[in-house]
Short mmCIF file of all heavy atoms in Angstrom, two decimals:
data_model
loop_
_atom_site.label_atom_id
_atom_site.label_comp_id
_atom_site.label_asym_id
_atom_site.label_seq_id
_atom_site.Cartn_x
_atom_site.Cartn_y
_atom_site.Cartn_z
N TYR B 91 85.66 84.41 93.03
CA TYR B 91 85.06 83.41 93.91
C TYR B 91 85.88 83.35 95.19
O TYR B 91 87.09 83.36 95.15
CB TYR B 91 85.14 82.02 93.28
CG TYR B 91 83.95 81.59 92.49
CD1 TYR B 91 83.90 81.80 91.12
CD2 TYR B 91 82.88 80.94 93.09
CE1 TYR B 91 82.81 81.37 90.38
CE2 TYR B 91 81.80 80.51 92.36
CZ TYR B 91 81.77 80.73 91.00
OH TYR B 91 80.70 80.30 90.27
N ASN B 92 85.20 83.28 96.33
CA ASN B 92 85.95 82.95 97.52
C ASN B 92 85.76 81.47 97.80
O ASN B 92 85.06 80.78 97.06
CB ASN B 92 85.53 83.82 98.72
CG ASN B 92 84.25 83.32 99.35
OD1 ASN B 92 83.50 82.56 98.75
ND2 ASN B 92 84.00 83.73 100.56
N GLN B 93 86.38 80.98 98.85
CA GLN B 93 86.21 79.57 99.20
C GLN B 93 84.74 79.30 99.47
O GLN B 93 84.09 80.03 100.19
CB GLN B 93 87.01 79.24 100.46
CG GLN B 93 88.48 79.05 100.19
CD GLN B 93 89.20 78.56 101.43
OE1 GLN B 93 88.85 78.91 102.54
NE2 GLN B 93 90.21 77.74 101.25
N GLY B 94 84.22 78.29 98.92
CA GLY B 94 82.82 77.96 99.14
C GLY B 94 81.89 78.47 98.07
O GLY B 94 80.70 78.21 98.12
N GLY B 95 82.39 79.19 97.11
CA GLY B 95 81.56 79.56 95.97
C GLY B 95 80.80 80.85 96.10
O GLY B 95 79.77 81.04 95.44
N LYS B 96 81.26 81.76 96.94
CA LYS B 96 80.63 83.09 97.03
C LYS B 96 81.18 83.95 95.90
O LYS B 96 82.38 84.16 95.81
CB LYS B 96 80.97 83.69 98.38
CG LYS B 96 80.72 85.19 98.51
CD LYS B 96 81.22 85.66 99.87
CE LYS B 96 81.25 87.15 100.00
NZ LYS B 96 81.80 87.57 101.30
N LEU B 97 80.32 84.41 95.02
CA LEU B 97 80.71 85.28 93.93
C LEU B 97 80.80 86.72 94.41
O LEU B 97 79.88 87.23 95.03
CB LEU B 97 79.70 85.19 92.79
CG LEU B 97 79.79 84.01 91.84
CD1 LEU B 97 78.59 83.99 90.92
CD2 LEU B 97 81.07 84.03 91.04
N ILE B 98 81.93 87.37 94.12
CA ILE B 98 82.11 88.77 94.49
C ILE B 98 82.18 89.57 93.20
O ILE B 98 83.16 89.51 92.47
CB ILE B 98 83.40 88.95 95.31
CG1 ILE B 98 83.38 88.03 96.52
CG2 ILE B 98 83.56 90.41 95.73
CD1 ILE B 98 84.73 87.86 97.18
N PHE B 99 81.11 90.30 92.94
CA PHE B 99 80.99 91.07 91.71
C PHE B 99 81.54 92.47 91.90
O PHE B 99 81.36 93.09 92.94
CB PHE B 99 79.52 91.19 91.29
CG PHE B 99 78.92 89.94 90.74
CD1 PHE B 99 78.36 88.99 91.59
CD2 PHE B 99 78.87 89.70 89.38
CE1 PHE B 99 77.78 87.83 91.10
CE2 PHE B 99 78.28 88.56 88.87
CZ PHE B 99 77.75 87.61 89.73
N GLY B 100 82.19 92.99 90.84
CA GLY B 100 82.53 94.39 90.77
C GLY B 100 81.44 95.14 90.01
O GLY B 100 80.30 94.67 89.92
N GLN B 101 81.84 96.29 89.46
CA GLN B 101 80.86 97.11 88.74
C GLN B 101 80.56 96.56 87.35
O GLN B 101 79.52 96.86 86.77
CB GLN B 101 81.40 98.54 88.59
CG GLN B 101 81.57 99.28 89.89
CD GLN B 101 80.26 99.85 90.38
OE1 GLN B 101 79.49 99.15 91.02
NE2 GLN B 101 80.01 101.09 90.08
N GLY B 102 81.50 95.79 86.81
CA GLY B 102 81.30 95.26 85.48
C GLY B 102 81.59 96.27 84.38
O GLY B 102 81.79 97.47 84.64
N THR B 103 81.62 95.79 83.16
CA THR B 103 81.83 96.63 81.97
C THR B 103 80.54 96.64 81.16
O THR B 103 80.07 95.57 80.74
CB THR B 103 82.97 96.08 81.09
OG1 THR B 103 84.19 96.14 81.80
CG2 THR B 103 83.09 96.91 79.80
N GLU B 104 80.02 97.81 80.94
CA GLU B 104 78.83 97.93 80.10
C GLU B 104 79.26 98.01 78.64
O GLU B 104 79.92 98.97 78.24
CB GLU B 104 78.00 99.15 80.47
CG GLU B 104 76.71 99.26 79.68
CD GLU B 104 75.78 100.34 80.19
OE1 GLU B 104 76.22 101.14 81.05
OE2 GLU B 104 74.62 100.39 79.75
N LEU B 105 78.91 96.99 77.88
CA LEU B 105 79.27 96.93 76.47
C LEU B 105 78.11 97.42 75.62
O LEU B 105 77.00 96.90 75.72
CB LEU B 105 79.64 95.51 76.06
CG LEU B 105 79.93 95.31 74.57
CD1 LEU B 105 81.19 96.06 74.15
CD2 LEU B 105 80.03 93.83 74.23
N SER B 106 78.37 98.41 74.80
CA SER B 106 77.36 98.84 73.82
C SER B 106 77.86 98.47 72.44
O SER B 106 79.06 98.57 72.15
CB SER B 106 77.09 100.34 73.94
OG SER B 106 78.27 101.08 73.76
N VAL B 107 76.96 98.02 71.58
CA VAL B 107 77.28 97.58 70.23
C VAL B 107 76.52 98.44 69.24
O VAL B 107 75.29 98.51 69.28
CB VAL B 107 76.93 96.09 70.04
CG1 VAL B 107 77.30 95.64 68.63
CG2 VAL B 107 77.65 95.24 71.08
#
Side-chain angles (χ1 to χ4, degrees):
Chain B
Y91 266 93
N92 79 342
Q93 281 187 326
K96 165 185 169 183
L97 280 171
I98 305 164
F99 287 86
Q101 295 279 84
T103 296
E104 184 171 10
L105 175 66
S106 57
V107 181

